[in-house]
Amino acid sequence: IIIAWFYKFVELPDYQQRQRPLRDFCISQEVKGSILLAAEGINGTIAGSRSGVDAVLADLRRAPAFADLTHKESMADFMPFGRMKVRLKQEIVNLGRPDITPQKQVGQYVPASEWNALISDPDVILVDTRNDFEVELGTFNGAINPQTAAFNQFPEFVRQNLDPGRHKKVAMFCTGGIRCEKATAYLLEQGFEEVFHLKDGILKYLETVPPEESLWQGNCFVFDERVTVDHHLQPDPIELCPICKTAVQPHHRTSPKYEFGVSCPVCADDLTTEQIKRAREKQRQLTLEAKRDARVDA
C-alpha cells in the first residue's frame, strides 16, 4: 500500500465545489484516506495501490491551483484507513486564526540536511509545535513541549512563554511541515524576527538523515492506523485508545483508569456509564471474533 501525504496553501474560493468530485474520484480509484479543503488550501493523506494514488495526485495537479503540488510517500503492508473522507474546513490546520496565512509571510525553511546544525546552535530556541501526546512518543533533543491538547492552543503558549525581545532565534517542527508554516507566520506577526522551520517536517528528516546522525529520539505519531513510525518510516505497533485516540504509554497501563479496549487515563473521567458499557460490549465482540478466527486458522 502506497501512503502519500501532501498540503498546499493556496487561495481556493471554490473549495466547496471541489469536495464531491474529489471524493468520488478517490473512491473510483479505490483510494482511502482524509483530505481537508478550505479557502486557504488543501491538506491530505491518502493510501491505495500505486496506480490509484498516482491517478489521484495527477487529477489534483490538473487544476492550476495544484499544478506544483508536492507530496511525500511511504509504504505499509496494510490499508491504514477505513474509508475516504473529503471535508470542508475553516482552516486546513486549525490555529484558530484563519487570517494568518503563510501566503502573506512565513519563516525560513530549513532542509533536513541542515537541521542538525541549526538546532545545535545554543542561541536557538527549539519548539515542538505538535500536541502533547505526540511529543511524548518522540521529539528532537532539547525541544520545548508546549503541552497543548490542540494546535489552536499554540498562540496562548507563545503569549505566555516566548518573547520577541529575548528569543531572537526560534526554530519549530511538526510531522509534515504544515503546522509549522502556520506557526512561523503567527510568530512573525507577533514581532519575532528570526523564525525557522523544518522543511517537509519530521517525516522528511527521518527519510533523509541516517539514524547514526539523527538528533531525533523515539517514534513519530502519524494520523492513521499505523499510529507511529520509526526512523525508517516503518510502522511500530502501539495501542491506540479507542475512545480518545491517545497513544497508550506504559505508564497509562498501570493506572486504575486504564481498561484495554475501553478507556485510558486521558478520557476515563469524561465517559458516561453508557459509553463505558458500549465500549466493553464492542471489545467483547472483538475478542470473540478473534477467537473464532483463531479456531478457523488452526
Side-chain angles (χ1 to χ4, degrees), residues 144-195:
I144 295 172
N145 178 5
Q147 298 183 326
T148 54
F151 187 49
N152 59 15
Q153 296 174 1
F154 186 74
E156 181 62 18
F157 160 78
V158 173
R159 188 184 70 79
Q160 294 189 13
N161 298 276
L162 298 180
D163 180 355
R166 293 189 300 114
H167 302 120
K168 300 297 185 181
K169 295 181 180 180
V170 181
M172 295 181 287
F173 62 92
C174 59
T175 307
I178 186 170
R179 276 179 278 192
C180 290
E181 294 218 28
K182 275 268 194 172
T184 59
Y186 177 74
L187 258 65
L188 290 171
E189 187 221 34
Q190 296 298 305
F192 292 84
E193 295 182 1
E194 290 192 78
V195 184

Side-chain angles (χ1 to χ4, degrees), residues 9-11 39-41 91 95 97-106 181-182 184-186:
F9 286 98
V10 60
E11 291 185 11
E40 67 178 7
E91 300 174 82
L95 183 66
R97 289 286 304 275
D99 58 308
I100 297 291
T101 171
Q103 294 168 269
K104 297 177 182 177
Q105 58 181 355
V106 72
E181 294 218 28
K182 275 268 194 172
T184 59
Y186 177 74

Side-chain angles (χ1 to χ4, degrees), residues 228-239:
T228 66
V229 294
D230 60 20
H231 209 295
H232 302 284
L233 297 181
Q234 294 302 304
D236 193 4
I238 191 169
E239 180 189 344

Side-chain angles (χ1 to χ4, degrees), residues 62-115:
R62 275 192 280 272
F66 304 134
D68 59 349
L69 180 71
T70 61
H71 75 282
K72 278 80 74 180
E73 288 186 0
S74 64
M75 291 191 294
D77 294 329
F78 61 94
M79 169 56 75
F81 295 103
R83 58 194 177 108
M84 186 67 228
K85 298 178 290 186
V86 180
R87 293 176 173 173
L88 304 178
K89 296 287 185 178
Q90 291 295 311
E91 300 174 82
I92 56 174
V93 58
N94 184 26
L95 183 66
R97 289 286 304 275
D99 58 308
I100 297 291
T101 171
Q103 294 168 269
K104 297 177 182 177
Q105 58 181 355
V106 72
Q108 300 179 48
Y109 296 91
V110 180
S113 60
E114 300 174 15
W115 184 247

Side-chain angles (χ1 to χ4, degrees), residues 14-253:
D14 62 342
Y15 73 98
Q16 294 174 320
Q17 286 70 49
R18 295 173 182 265
Q19 180 186 25
R20 180 60 66 84
L22 178 54
R23 176 181 174 275
D24 290 348
F25 187 78
C26 289
I27 292 174
S28 75
Q29 300 301 312
E30 298 183 344
V31 165
K32 298 179 181 180
S34 176
I35 297 176
L36 305 182
L37 293 171
E40 67 178 7
I42 189 171
N43 177 22
T45 304
I46 58 174
S49 66
R50 174 82 274 168
S51 60
V53 169
D54 285 351
V56 171
L57 293 172
D59 184 65
L60 283 170
R61 290 172 180 139
R62 275 192 280 272
F66 304 134
D68 59 349
L69 180 71
T70 61
H71 75 282
K72 278 80 74 180
E73 288 186 0
S74 64
M75 291 191 294
D77 294 329
F78 61 94
M79 169 56 75
F81 295 103
R83 58 194 177 108
M84 186 67 228
K85 298 178 290 186
V86 180
R87 293 176 173 173
L88 304 178
K89 296 287 185 178
Q90 291 295 311
E91 300 174 82
I92 56 174
V93 58
N94 184 26
L95 183 66
R97 289 286 304 275
D99 58 308
I100 297 291
T101 171
Q103 294 168 269
K104 297 177 182 177
Q105 58 181 355
V106 72
Q108 300 179 48
Y109 296 91
V110 180
S113 60
E114 300 174 15
W115 184 247
N116 285 358
L118 174 68
I119 66 175
S120 297
D121 182 343
D123 294 329
V124 170
I125 301 296
L126 181 60
V127 179
D128 192 328
T129 65
R130 300 172 304 149
N131 298 334
D132 189 46
F133 76 91
E134 298 173 74
V135 181
E136 280 192 19
L137 293 169
T139 191
F140 283 105
N141 296 344
I144 295 172
N145 178 5
Q147 298 183 326
T148 54
F151 187 49
N152 59 15
Q153 296 174 1
F154 186 74
E156 181 62 18
F157 160 78
V158 173
R159 188 184 70 79
Q160 294 189 13
N161 298 276
L162 298 180
D163 180 355
R166 293 189 300 114
H167 302 120
K168 300 297 185 181
K169 295 181 180 180
V170 181
M172 295 181 287
F173 62 92
C174 59
T175 307
I178 186 170
R179 276 179 278 192
C180 290
E181 294 218 28
K182 275 268 194 172
T184 59
Y186 177 74
L187 258 65
L188 290 171
E189 187 221 34
Q190 296 298 305
F192 292 84
E193 295 182 1
E194 290 192 78
V195 184
F196 308 88
H197 56 125
L198 176 58
K199 182 175 173 59
D200 295 326
I202 299 162
L203 296 175
K204 187 65 175 179
Y205 179 91
L206 298 180
E207 177 186 324
T208 304
V209 178
E212 61 272 16
E213 298 175 14
S214 177
L215 297 181
W216 175 263
Q217 293 183 326
N219 286 346
C220 180
F221 182 86
V222 289
F223 295 89
D224 58 55
E225 291 181 13
R226 293 174 297 170
V227 187
T228 66
V229 294
D230 60 20
H231 209 295
H232 302 284
L233 297 181
Q234 294 302 304
D236 193 4
I238 191 169
E239 180 189 344
L240 203 63
C241 175
I243 301 296
C244 65
K245 306 306 180 184
T246 293
V248 176
Q249 301 293 297
H251 66 273
H252 290 147
R253 295 189 180 93

